[in-house]
Amino acid sequence: VRQILNAGQNDKIYLVHNIWFERADEIPIENYHRGQILPAGTEVDVNDYNSEEILFSDKSGKKYTVAYNEQRTMTPVKTYIPELFCKINPLNGIDEGTVFIIKKGEVRKGMTKKEVIMSWGNPMSHRTQQKEINNTWIYWNEEHKSKRVIFKNEKVLEVIE
């Protein structure tokens, strides 16, 4: 993972976005918005990954397993790693009020696409293709219950639940 992120041995690794989970040992790649939140910017150690799972731990030693599904992300796990982990804390440079909202797992009108990703994660590519240019992103609360974020001029215009 360090090689994928171009991170040296002494570089810290952080979560790019909040990870929502009910069980730390079985976190769906869809990042369903329920349960506890492991916040964006959390320093982690990535222990291992393969085509079916990504294993990491936080600095307290608690272990987490993301169940990877290439059909949902439409990308190989190795390509997906930088969407989940980074070597610079993604919250750096963001105002305190917005950081508070992100860590609570909320999305509000006026937030940027980057801030939405930090709060809710990346939308699954099989439902939101080309997120860089798409102005409607689809997320899940549960397996069959979705919500949409509508953007205008790269900022949240509306959230439809």
Side-chain angles (χ1 to χ4, degrees), residues 12-153:
K12 295 178 180 181
I13 305 286
Y14 301 93
L15 288 179
V16 169
H17 60 75
N18 290 342
I19 292 183
W20 303 64
F21 66 97
E22 293 179 306
R23 293 181 41 194
D25 64 338
E26 191 178 332
I27 303 169
I29 193 66
E30 294 84 358
N31 206 21
Y32 298 122
H33 297 167
R34 61 177 188 237
Q36 300 176 54
I37 297 174
L38 185 61
T42 298
E43 187 180 344
V44 297
D45 290 316
V46 183
N47 304 317
D48 199 9
Y49 72 92
N50 58 48
S51 62
E52 296 178 359
E53 60 187 13
I54 302 168
L55 308 165
F56 68 96
S57 54
D58 63 22
K59 285 304 173 182
S60 74
K62 184 170 181 171
K63 296 182 184 305
Y64 300 88
T65 302
V66 174
Y68 194 74
N69 182 335
E70 188 173 325
Q71 290 179 326
R72 297 283 190 165
T73 63
M74 296 176 67
T75 186
V77 66
K78 192 172 184 178
T79 306
Y80 189 80
I81 291 287
E83 293 188 30
L84 193 56
F85 306 106
C86 59
K87 64 181 183 177
I88 297 171
N89 189 328
L91 299 173
N92 288 353
I94 296 177
D95 70 88
E96 194 174 304
T98 303
V99 168
F100 181 74
I101 292 166
I102 289 168
K103 286 187 173 187
K104 284 181 23 179
E106 295 179 6
V107 167
R108 296 195 181 160
K109 187 175 182 174
M111 289 176 82
T112 66
K113 287 184 173 183
K114 181 181 174 188
E115 291 165 347
V116 171
I117 289 171
M118 284 187 269
S119 187
W120 282 4
N122 285 289
M124 289 290 100
S125 295
H126 79 288
R127 293 289 308 269
T128 303
Q129 295 181 9
Q130 297 180 311
K131 72 175 186 259
E132 298 79 16
I133 59 172
N134 196 326
N135 285 322
T136 301
W137 292 1
I138 301 170
Y139 288 92
W140 283 296
N141 288 331
E142 300 172 19
E143 192 170 349
H144 300 289
K145 186 177 177 189
S146 64
K147 55 189 170 186
R148 298 175 190 281
V149 180
I150 312 296
F151 295 93
K152 184 175 182 181
N153 299 323

